Amino acid sequence: RMSTVCANAKRKGVEIYTILFKVSDQTTRNLVKACATSDKHAFLSADSSGLTAAFKDAATQIAGGSTGVRIVK
């Protein structure tokens, strides 16, 4: 089902970023990576510093290299 949702969203032009945190299951990793728009849109973090870096990298990509994007909870 997730693959279908991702494919439909991408077909409509939605840019998808994925961030996994402490996930070791390869099937899950592959599924979530495939959902991302490209390999550059998929992040895997093993610890909190990696998670922070993943969100920062995604925000920088979204902003086109600018640091003007802010991600809030």
Side-chain angles (χ1 to χ4, degrees), residues 1-2 9-10 13 15 21 26 31-34 39 45 51 57 67 73:
R1 179 174 173 183
M2 181 176 167
K10 287 191 267 188
E15 189 171 16
F21 181 61
Q26 194 60 49
L31 178 65
V32 173
K33 184 177 180 181
D39 287 346
S45 305
L51 184 61
D57 290 348
T67 57
K73 182 176 178 182

Side-chain angles (χ1 to χ4, degrees), residues 7 11 15 22 41 43 46 63 65-66:
R11 200 172 18 261
E15 189 171 16
K22 292 186 177 182
H41 290 75
F43 300 90
S66 167

Side-chain angles (χ1 to χ4, degrees), residues 2-8 10 16-18 20 26-39 41-43:
M2 181 176 167
S3 297
T4 301
V5 170
C6 294
N8 289 340
K10 287 191 267 188
I16 301 172
Y17 287 83
T18 61
L20 285 175
Q26 194 60 49
T27 301
T28 302
R29 291 168 81 164
N30 291 343
L31 178 65
V32 173
K33 184 177 180 181
C35 185
T37 298
S38 73
D39 287 346
H41 290 75
F43 300 90

